[in-house]
Amino acid sequence: MKLCRLVFIYVLGGLVGTLWETFLNFINGNGFVYCNGSIFTPVNFVYGFGAVIIVACLHSQTEWWRVYLIGAVGGGVVEYLLNFLEEKLLGTRSWNYDGKTLNINGRTTLPYMAVWGLLCVAVIFIIYKPLSRFLDKIPPDIQKTASVIIGAIILLDLFITVSAVLRYSARNANQNAFTALGRILDRYFNDAFMLKRFPKMKFS
């Protein structure tokens, strides 16, 4: 599995995730809600990393039921770990399933794991395999150049987003910025901005 191919999978998975979450909010009557989970790109980090892990682990599988079972368990583990790490490292939680049927510490649920299994089947057989055939037709040099540029944008977005979330959490704890970067983040990504862009984020 080439690294540049994983970059494209990350972007595609993150975009699909953002569109899916946005669609669900419209269906549930919430109107437009920012669901990308990042500041500068429409790529949702959770879905992006999820797609990469799914493809990295399951791209060689040919039986749909194997993909489903592995994906259901793996998807639940990834969702649980990401929720746990966000709470421990950033002091926030972007989703909490307490009160949901068959939830596991409020970080994932068995019904959602079943959905992860279906999602993995879709990612492998509807997204990855056609994408792989398409990328096979593009010269390797073009793929590498595009993946480096896109990867740099993703890393910059991730750095600024995580930094802004850390300052958001610190402000909630009444901690002043001690660096120039912190003061810049406070100025451009204040509480009103963060609340709008991360409406589901709650402080632990």
Side-chain angles (χ1 to χ4, degrees), residues 156-204:
L156 178 62
D157 185 30
L158 181 60
F159 171 77
I160 293 177
T161 298
V162 170
S163 298
V165 170
L166 286 172
R167 278 303 305 148
Y168 186 31
S169 179
R171 288 196 300 271
N172 181 71
N174 297 316
Q175 298 177 8
N176 295 323
F178 296 104
T179 65
L181 176 60
R183 290 188 288 272
I184 292 173
L185 293 171
D186 286 351
R187 178 179 178 183
Y188 291 101
F189 309 118
N190 55 36
D191 290 354
F193 176 91
M194 297 297 287
L195 180 61
K196 182 178 181 181
R197 297 303 295 267
F198 303 92
K200 294 184 179 181
M201 184 172 289
K202 305 298 180 184
F203 297 104
S204 58

Side-chain angles (χ1 to χ4, degrees), residues 1 7 23 25 33-34 37 42 51-52 63 78 82 90 111 122 139 144 148 150 162 164 187-188 201:
M1 180 65 61
V7 171
F23 173 74
N25 275 287
V33 177
Y34 283 100
V52 167
E63 301 286 346
V78 169
L82 288 175
L90 304 180
K144 290 179 181 178
V148 168
I150 295 172
V162 170
R187 178 179 178 183
Y188 291 101
M201 184 172 289

Side-chain angles (χ1 to χ4, degrees), residues 54-69:
I54 289 168
V55 171
C57 295
L58 302 176
H59 70 278
S60 61
Q61 295 290 336
T62 57
E63 301 286 346
W64 71 267
W65 60 271
R66 289 180 182 272
V67 172
Y68 178 83
L69 290 177

